[in-house]
Structure formats: structure tokens, C-alpha cells
């Protein structure tokens, strides 16, 4: 293409020029593009300046974090967990067959307090229970039949009690006057005799043999005073105690 342009220029000069001119035409071929020169850039490792950091050691650790492993988060049970059963409602063990059931009743009673004990009269059995105090809330228990009959002397005018003391009357008085042991153990009465209705219980004792027959044993009675005190009377050793246990 460059050769064609040169020839056109030469032709134009011949036509337009008045005098001949010498034109030197240098014809060259299209130069070959220079080969790509591989430039190798030598990169040398920059020298990093050495930095010295001085760290001051200390033995005090403030808010040191605790490393917790998954095993520590989730406790490992040695045995599979089981449901905890609900507590059972306490039940009373039923007595064996042919064993007497406890007796519960309300009965008419009379009560009188003495210097060293008291007396109870039980209307259903017509008995007089004599309680002698031997220690705090405990003592001996004796049972007597009430033998008083209407029309008999209710007191003995010859027996004069000391101040603030009372001679018992009627059934209590007859027993107290006739049985010297009772009089000596109880002393004089300190309150009048009074009657009321009390809750009464009887719990039989004994066993049932191999044939299913009940063999009677020692039981206990429960009675209440006018003030609501609970007395337990033990047949096994003829004692009484405050409280039902």
C-alpha cells in the first residue's frame, strides 16, 4: 500500500513541474513488527523491618474465659432417665379377715378431778375408771363397777375435806370411801363432778390363727376429757397416757 502512494506522488510531480526534478525514492518493505521482548522483572523479597515488641508478663488473670466443652454442657447420664412415679397416697392396712374392726361412738361420761388423778364414769358399761398420776401425762388405770344405787347416802358427813377440797359424791363418792387404796392414791377432789358427751374408740388387739379364728389380745381405749384432752388406756399393762399414740 505504501508503494502505491509513492508512485502516485511521482506521477503528480511530473505533470505539474516545469523543470525536471530528481526525486530520490527509497522503497522499503514494511518492517516486521519487532518481536515481543520478554521482560523478566526480577522481584526480590523486600526486607521486612524487624519489629521487637516487648511484652510484660503478669500473674494476674482478669475475667479469664472458661472453655466449656459440649460434654460439660450436656451431662452424660449413666442410665437412661426414667419418669419419677408420683407419691402414693397413704392407705390404712386392712385388718385380716375375722379381725374385729375398731369401735367409734359417742357416749355419756362423767369426770371429776382429784389431787393426784381423776375419775371417769362410762354410762354404757356402768364402770368407773380411776386414773392415778405417776409421771407427766402418764399413770396407772384401774376399772371398777359402779355399784351406787339411788337412795343410798351420796356422801359421808363425818368426812370433812380441807379448804378448797371436795368430798366426791354418789358413785364416785361410794367407791372413794369404800376402797381405801383409791382414796389414798387420789386424795380429795378438787372439782365438782360434771357430765358431758365424749368421743370414744376401742381398738382390739390379738391375732388370727391359721384356721382364720380370731384370738383375742390386748387392745386400747381412747376417751376425751371435758377440755378436749385425749386419753389412751392400754389393756396390756393397765396404764393411761395423754395422746392417742
Amino acid at each position: 500500500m505504501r508503494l502505491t502512494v509513492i508512485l502516485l506522488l511521482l506521477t503528480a510531480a511530473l505533470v505539474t513541474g516545469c523543470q525536471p526534478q530528481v526525486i530520490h525514492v527509497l522503497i522499503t518493505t514494511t518492517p516486521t513488527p519487532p518481536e515481543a521482548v520478554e521482560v523478566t522483572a526480577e522481584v526480590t523479597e523486600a526486607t521486612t523491618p524487624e519489629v521487637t515488641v516487648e511484652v510484660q508478663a503478669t500473674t494476674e488473670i482478669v475475667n479469664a474465659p472458661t472453655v466449656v466443652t459440649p460434654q460439660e454442657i450436656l451431662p452424660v447420664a449413666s442410665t437412661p432417665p426414667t419418669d419419677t412415679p408420683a407419691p402414693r397416697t397413704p392407705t390404712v392396712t386392712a385388718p385380716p379377715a375375722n379381725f374385729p374392726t375398731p369401735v367409734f361412738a359417742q357416749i355419756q361420761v362423767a369426770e371429776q378431778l382429784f389431787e393426784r388423778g381423776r375419775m371417769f364414769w362410762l354410762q354404757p358399761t356402768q364402770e368407773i375408771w380411776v386414773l392415778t398420776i405417776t409421771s407427766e401425762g402418764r399413770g396407772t388405770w384401774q376399772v371398777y363397777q359402779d355399784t351406787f344405787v339411788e337412795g343410798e347416802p351420796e356422801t359421808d358427813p363425818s368426812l370433812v375435806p380441807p379448804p378448797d377440797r371436795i368430798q366426791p359424791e354418789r358413785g364416785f363418792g361410794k367407791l372413794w370411801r369404800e376402797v381405801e387404796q383409791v382414796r389414798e392414791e387420789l386424795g380429795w377432789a378438787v372439782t365438782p363432778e360434771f357430765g358431758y358427751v365424749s368421743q370414744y374408740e376401742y381398738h382390739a388387739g390379738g391375732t388370727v390363727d391359721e384356721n382364720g379364728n380370731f384370738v383375742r389380745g390386748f387392745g386400747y381405749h381412747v376417751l376425751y376429757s371435758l377440755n378436749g384432752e385425749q386419753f389412751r388406756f392400754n389393756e396390756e399393762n393397765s396404764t393411761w397416757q395423754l395422746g392417742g399414740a
Side-chain angles (χ1 to χ4, degrees), residues 1 11 17 58-59 65 67 81 104 106 130 139-140 160-161 173 186 190 194 245:
M1 179 179 181
T11 305
T58 178
T59 58
V67 179
F104 298 90
Q106 289 186 330
V130 177
T140 60
V160 180
L186 292 182
V190 296
F194 40 82

Side-chain angles (χ1 to χ4, degrees), residues 30-52:
T30 304
T32 304
E35 296 180 359
V37 179
E38 181 180 0
V39 179
T40 302
E42 182 178 359
V43 179
T44 60
E45 182 180 359
T47 303
T48 303
E50 181 179 357
V51 179
T52 302

Side-chain angles (χ1 to χ4, degrees), residues 114-120 129-142 144 181-187 231 233 238-241:
F114 290 75
E115 292 176 314
R116 294 180 292 274
R118 72 182 67 201
M119 287 186 183
F120 283 108
W129 291 4
V130 177
L131 287 66
T132 303
I133 298 174
T134 58
S135 62
E136 183 68 26
R138 295 178 181 273
T140 60
W141 165 47
Q142 303 171 64
Y144 297 89
Q181 179 184 352
V182 173
R183 186 170 64 253
E184 291 179 351
E185 290 180 349
L186 292 182
F231 288 82
F233 301 87
S238 298
T239 61
W240 66 269
Q241 64 195 69

Side-chain angles (χ1 to χ4, degrees), residues 11-204:
T11 305
L14 293 177
V15 173
T16 59
C18 294
Q19 295 180 357
Q21 296 180 0
V22 177
I23 300 174
H24 299 276
V25 178
L26 178 62
I27 301 173
T28 61
T29 59
T30 304
T32 304
E35 296 180 359
V37 179
E38 181 180 0
V39 179
T40 302
E42 182 178 359
V43 179
T44 60
E45 182 180 359
T47 303
T48 303
E50 181 179 357
V51 179
T52 302
V53 179
E54 182 179 356
V55 179
Q56 183 177 0
T58 178
T59 58
E60 181 181 3
I61 301 177
V62 180
N63 297 328
T66 302
V67 179
V68 180
T69 62
Q71 290 77 11
E72 294 172 329
I73 297 175
L74 300 176
V76 179
S78 57
T79 57
T82 58
D83 295 335
T84 303
R88 298 179 58 186
T89 302
T91 57
V92 178
T93 303
N98 299 330
F99 195 92
T101 58
V103 175
F104 298 90
Q106 289 186 330
I107 63 174
Q108 183 72 37
V109 300
E111 180 183 10
Q112 188 168 18
L113 275 62
F114 290 75
E115 292 176 314
R116 294 180 292 274
R118 72 182 67 201
M119 287 186 183
F120 283 108
W121 172 77
L122 281 68
Q123 187 274 334
T125 59
Q126 294 293 303
E127 293 176 342
I128 297 175
W129 291 4
V130 177
L131 287 66
T132 303
I133 298 174
T134 58
S135 62
E136 183 68 26
R138 295 178 181 273
T140 60
W141 165 47
Q142 303 171 64
V143 178
Y144 297 89
Q145 195 67 33
D146 180 15
T147 61
F148 176 78
V149 179
E150 292 291 342
E152 293 182 339
E154 296 186 359
T155 62
D156 184 350
S158 65
L159 298 176
V160 180
D164 300 326
R165 296 296 183 262
I166 302 172
Q167 180 185 165
E169 302 177 359
R170 298 177 61 84
F172 286 168
K174 182 178 180 180
L175 175 64
W176 181 82
R177 291 190 305 269
E178 292 181 352
V179 181
E180 182 178 358
Q181 179 184 352
V182 173
R183 186 170 64 253
E184 291 179 351
E185 290 180 349
L186 292 182
W188 294 90
V190 296
T191 68
E193 176 183 336
F194 40 82
Y196 60 97
V197 176
S198 171
Q199 179 70 33
Y200 168 81
E201 302 175 17
Y202 178 67
H203 300 263

Side-chain angles (χ1 to χ4, degrees), residues 199-245:
Q199 179 70 33
Y200 168 81
E201 302 175 17
Y202 178 67
H203 300 263
T207 58
V208 175
D209 62 19
E210 62 277 6
N211 297 321
N213 299 317
F214 171 69
V215 180
R216 183 177 175 81
F218 296 109
Y220 67 91
H221 307 256
V222 175
L223 196 65
Y224 292 83
S225 70
L226 180 64
N227 294 329
E229 299 167 302
Q230 185 186 58
F231 288 82
R232 169 171 167 158
F233 301 87
N234 304 302
E235 294 179 339
E236 182 176 8
N237 53 12
S238 298
T239 61
W240 66 269
Q241 64 195 69
L242 282 177

